[in-house]
Structure formats: C-alpha cells, structure tokens
Amino acid sequence: MIKLFKFDNYEDYRGKLSFSNELDLTLFKRVYFIEHNDLKTRAWQGHITEHKVFIVLEGSFKIGYIKVKDFTSPPIDEIPDFKVLTAKNKEAIYLPEGYANGIKNIKKNSKLLVLSNLVVEDSLKDNVRYDSSLWEI
C-alpha cells in the first residue's frame, strides 16, 4: 500500500528539528541521493521486490507510480498516480514492491533522498526498465 508520511517539527532556542516517528527504518538497507541541477525526468523503472521511500531535501519533485502485475507486459493503457513532494512541506512517500516509478524535478537544484530495502547488487537484478515515454510524468 502506498503511504504518505508527514514530518513533524520541534523548535526551541537551539533551532528547528524535523522528524517522523511513523517511518520504520529497520526495513531499509540502502540510502542514496538524486540531485538534478536542471529540470530532468528519470522514468520508468519497475521493482518486483524492492520497495522505496522518497524524501525531498531541496526543491520539489513529482513522483509517478503505477501498479504492475506482469512486469513483462506493463499496463500501458492505465494512467499512473502522482504525488508532488516539496522540501518545504516535509513529506515522504513509500512505494511498496510491485510498482513502476518515475521522478521529475519541478524546480532546478532539487535533491531527493531515497531509501531502499535492497542493496544495489540485488536492486539491479530486480529492476525492470521501461521507455521514458511509456507514461507521461
């Protein structure tokens, strides 16, 4: 199930702290960053067993996702769902296994943190790439 997490804030004389007590980090083995200085699209890739969390650190990204039942025959007639995440709104989206996703920054100099339940070697074996024009993002 797709989940959206909001981060809470705490502020005192030392500064501001943003946090989430809902996101279970024990599920994840890898973290990586995606940075786009210009407006770019990375799409589409499916994951049979990998699940991910996307958190915008700077700027904003449009995250597209679509459920794929048969990775050899993606649902080309269906329309993906989308969520716009911004650093200002402090949200994260969880995509479980069985989804294809695409990302597009909608502000220059945007930075995205991604959490994955698979190490990179296993992720490469699990990754199914689709043409970037298969669905619009």
Side-chain angles (χ1 to χ4, degrees), residues 13 15-16 25 28 33 54 61 85 93 96 100 104 108 112 119 122 129 131-133 135 137:
Y13 68 94
K16 186 184 257 186
L25 296 176
F28 301 99
F33 301 91
F54 297 93
F61 280 85
L85 300 178
I93 189 167
K104 178 180 183 177
K108 290 183 178 183
L112 187 67
V119 296
D122 294 337
R129 299 262 178 187
D131 188 273
S132 62
S133 63
W135 299 287
I137 187 165

Side-chain angles (χ1 to χ4, degrees), residues 1-5 28 44-45 47 49-54 63-66 81 83 92-103 115 117:
M1 171 179 10
I2 306 293
K3 289 184 184 177
L4 188 65
F5 297 93
F28 301 99
W44 290 88
Q45 61 181 358
H47 296 285
T49 62
E50 186 174 17
H51 50 260
K52 296 184 176 190
V53 170
F54 297 93
I63 312 291
Y65 50 94
I66 188 165
D81 290 309
K83 177 67 181 163
I93 189 167
Y94 167 77
L95 298 182
E97 66 279 349
Y99 277 81
N101 68 75
I103 63 169
L115 302 171
N117 68 313

Side-chain angles (χ1 to χ4, degrees), residues 2-66:
I2 306 293
K3 289 184 184 177
L4 188 65
F5 297 93
K6 288 284 273 177
F7 286 80
D8 293 314
N9 294 303
Y10 173 78
E11 191 169 358
D12 65 14
Y13 68 94
R14 298 168 291 181
K16 186 184 257 186
L17 176 74
S18 298
F19 62 93
S20 172
N21 289 327
E22 298 176 48
L23 186 56
D24 182 1
L25 296 176
T26 62
L27 302 172
F28 301 99
K29 296 181 180 179
R30 180 170 56 110
V31 60
Y32 59 95
F33 301 91
I34 298 171
E35 295 184 57
H36 288 176
N37 296 329
D38 293 320
L39 301 179
K40 303 273 187 198
T41 300
R42 290 175 182 254
W44 290 88
Q45 61 181 358
H47 296 285
I48 300 164
T49 62
E50 186 174 17
H51 50 260
K52 296 184 176 190
V53 170
F54 297 93
I55 304 169
V56 176
L57 300 177
E58 294 176 26
S60 59
F61 280 85
K62 184 177 185 182
I63 312 291
Y65 50 94
I66 188 165

